[in-house]
Amino acid sequence: MNDMTIVEHQLDRVLSFFPRVDTKAAGLFAVNAAILAIAAINVQAGDLKLWYIAIPGILMLVGLAISYTFLYRCNFPDLNGGQGSLIYFAEIQKRTESTFLKDFEAATEDAYRHDLLGQVWRNSQILCQKYIAIAWAIRSSVLTLLPFATFLVLTAITHSRIPMVH
């Protein structure tokens, strides 16, 4: 395996982790949306006047807001960097098509290899940002489960019914 193939494999390896994070983010978004929907179905306007329902409801909403904030960060990481790259999409879009073609065709193999290695580094940074954000989003959502369950139980007791989930 030549040097360029090793670098390309390394970039492919880093890029292969992105769908894993994005799948977690999409799944967590769905879970958070379900929690909000189930809570909304089970609450009545007067319930929020009762402190023992309002407090778990507020804690649940705060936890979900934090989770959604980190999901946003996961889905929209900082794309700065890779100045002058012929590979990094955020830098390619700054050029005209003709300028990109001219610059790409003029690049030496050594310069291209260097650019690929820069991509490995920059994509690793972006991936790390996404992993950190999804980890905090998951933690925040997990912490909402107790207030959510408490909220459902207390609204059910208040209205003498089983919580609805449809």
Side-chain angles (χ1 to χ4, degrees):
M1 191 177 323
N2 70 30
D3 189 42
M4 188 65 93
T5 304
I6 292 170
V7 174
E8 289 170 341
H9 282 310
Q10 182 62 20
L11 180 58
D12 289 343
R13 186 175 298 117
V14 169
L15 294 176
S16 73
F17 284 96
F18 279 84
R20 297 175 191 185
V21 179
D22 293 336
T23 299
K24 288 178 184 181
L28 187 58
F29 186 89
V31 167
N32 287 354
I35 289 171
L36 279 174
I38 292 167
I41 288 169
N42 286 283
V43 72
Q44 294 178 9
D47 294 345
L48 300 177
K49 294 178 184 173
L50 304 171
W51 68 268
Y52 54 89
I53 292 177
I55 291 175
I58 290 168
L59 292 174
M60 176 189 65
L61 290 175
V62 167
L64 289 175
I66 292 168
S67 180
Y68 278 123
T69 299
F70 282 107
L71 283 172
Y72 179 86
R73 288 183 183 175
C74 179
N75 283 309
F76 301 101
D78 177 16
L79 298 180
N80 292 321
Q83 289 79 14
S85 175
L86 293 170
I87 300 168
Y88 188 43
F89 68 92
E91 287 296 305
I92 291 172
Q93 64 91 26
K94 293 178 182 177
R95 293 179 171 91
T96 64
E97 180 181 6
S98 60
T99 302
F100 170 73
L101 293 172
K102 181 180 64 114
D103 292 347
F104 192 86
E105 290 171 356
T108 65
E109 185 173 336
D110 218 29
Y112 184 72
R113 181 182 166 281
H114 182 77
D115 203 354
L116 275 174
L117 286 170
Q119 273 304 285
V120 170
W121 177 79
R122 183 65 188 122
N123 279 289
S124 296
Q125 285 186 317
I126 292 169
L127 185 60
C128 189
Q129 288 175 20
K130 289 174 73 73
Y131 263 105
I132 290 169
I134 194 64
W136 280 106
I138 290 169
R139 288 179 190 117
S140 181
S141 290
V142 166
L143 290 175
T144 67
L145 295 178
L146 182 59
F148 172 60
T150 304
F151 181 82
L152 284 183
V153 167
L154 293 174
T155 56
I157 290 170
T158 300
H159 300 291
S160 301
R161 63 174 157 74
I162 297 174
M164 296 181 280
V165 289
H166 58 281

